[in-house]
Amino acid sequence: MRRSVLALLSLGIAIALVMSACTSGTSSSSSTTSALNAPRGYKPTPVRKTDTVSLPDYATDSDGVDFSFKAAPGNLLVVFFGFLTCPDICPVTMADIAAGLEELGPTVVQHVEIAFVTVDIERDTGPRMVEYLTHFFPNSTIHALRAPDSAQLSAVTSQFGAQWQVDPHEPGAATYGVAHSGVTYVVDDRGQLVWEWPFGTTGPEVAATLKQLMDTVYPAS
Amino acid sequence: MNPRSPSRPLALIAIALIAGLALVASACSSSGSSSATFQGKDIVVSNVWARESAGAADTGAVYLTIENTSGTADKLFSASVPQAFAKSASIHETVTSDGTTATTMGAGSSSMMSMKEVASVTIPANGSVTFEPGGYHIMLIGLVAPLKDGQKFDLNLGFLNGGVVKVTANVKAS
Ligand SMILES: [Cu+2]
């Protein structure tokens, strides 16, 4: 009798072990750890406005429509600076944000807009950026933003505090290095920067912050 | 009353639990499909995967774990793929402009990140190195076709002591 209870207990433990081994093996960025109670990232101070700058948005119009960095009323705008041939930093960040949105569910997701600004204006085109964003965010409002020249791109990145650099190369070269900051920004409907996530912020952390921002930036009226 | 009777429900629960365990274990190995390991001399490579291409991308990154089971350090110094699959494969590391590795970057750091090719990666004696997002990756350049979820492809890894290890990567959706 006692032995069979023990056997049951050990079976239960074995199942728990197998299950935990299984879940830890599937997480995408397992190396990033953080305190569970403190939200990842921070609210930039003093208040920085981002709707003073704009870029052509190719999401709904292949000719590009001017978009100021400001969310629609009641929405949050998530902004990342990257490039399409970036195989590591950019896709993992997109996948983590997408996982966060998945966790939040459609009622919150309809109030979150996703903006991707390319820092590789030579190789990246509007239609290819739309294809890229649709892959990660099929159910979200997206903004595919590409500056017509590097001066306009710099005006935007300096407003956000983001950095980028394209290595010198021959015109039309297929491969050249691109460096960029891996920070993701959140902007509210007044065009104010309300949050910054460092590179490596996980899906659950993205979800927790967005949920909290929705409550604090737009308190129920 | 038969004092042994309570053990019958227990036995039933035990059978159910065993069945459950088997189910969980099989679900785990089939979904992860990362259970495959590849052997070299004192080298074990596992969890080889790449993310599905987002659109018509012609670059990709392969992640994996390399374990060195010998008492001597080894070095991964080359990676190659069939020409019919991609133009080239090389060992890359994601680094930040202030010299830290991307995975240890602090909150709010706006230092720039980029990748650079590295000549080799040391696998410590009786230790392991995991290639993961923000750290090391095997860079694929000039993919003939975008990577698709569920696809598998071969990769040759060259080790100083471990020899050439042929591994198969699984493409995952995210
Ligand atoms: Cu690379």
Side-chain angles (χ1 to χ4, degrees), chain A residues 8 22 42 85 88 163 180 183, chain B residues 10 28 59 63 94 110 113 134:
Chain A
L8 273 182
C22 194
Y42 73 108
T85 44
D88 186 45
Q163 295 180 70
H180 60 104
V183 175
Chain B
L10 273 180
C28 186
T59 58
Y63 304 103
T94 292
S110 65
M113 307 201 287

Side-chain angles (χ1 to χ4, degrees), chain A residues 87-88, chain B residues 60-61 90 92-94 115-116 137-140:
Chain A
D88 186 45
Chain B
S90 46
H92 274 206
E93 183 182 15
T94 292
M115 17 172 230
K116 65 168 201 254
H137 59 268
I138 305 291
M139 176 84 177
L140 304 172

Side-chain angles (χ1 to χ4, degrees), chain B residues 16-36:
Chain B
L17 276 174
I18 290 169
L21 182 57
L23 268 176
V24 167
S26 68
C28 186
S29 56
S30 68
S31 72
S33 62
S34 49
S35 55

Side-chain angles (χ1 to χ4, degrees), chain A residues 79-150:
Chain A
V79 184
F80 185 75
F81 296 86
F83 63 109
L84 299 188
T85 44
C86 157
D88 186 45
I89 298 300
C90 307
V92 73
T93 303
M94 295 300 107
D96 283 337
I97 295 170
L101 294 188
E102 184 113 337
E103 201 174 304
L104 287 169
T107 50
V108 180
V109 168
Q110 62 176 336
H111 295 295
V112 180
E113 302 167 42
I114 307 291
F116 186 96
V117 181
T118 178
V119 298
D120 186 3
I121 57 176
E122 199 179 318
R123 281 183 297 195
D124 294 349
T125 65
R128 284 194 54 209
M129 291 175 66
V130 172
E131 187 185 30
Y132 180 89
L133 286 169
T134 307
H135 174 87
F136 290 105
F137 308 102
N139 305 314
S140 296
T141 301
I142 56 166
H143 302 281
L145 306 166
R146 178 181 168 275
D149 55 52
S150 52

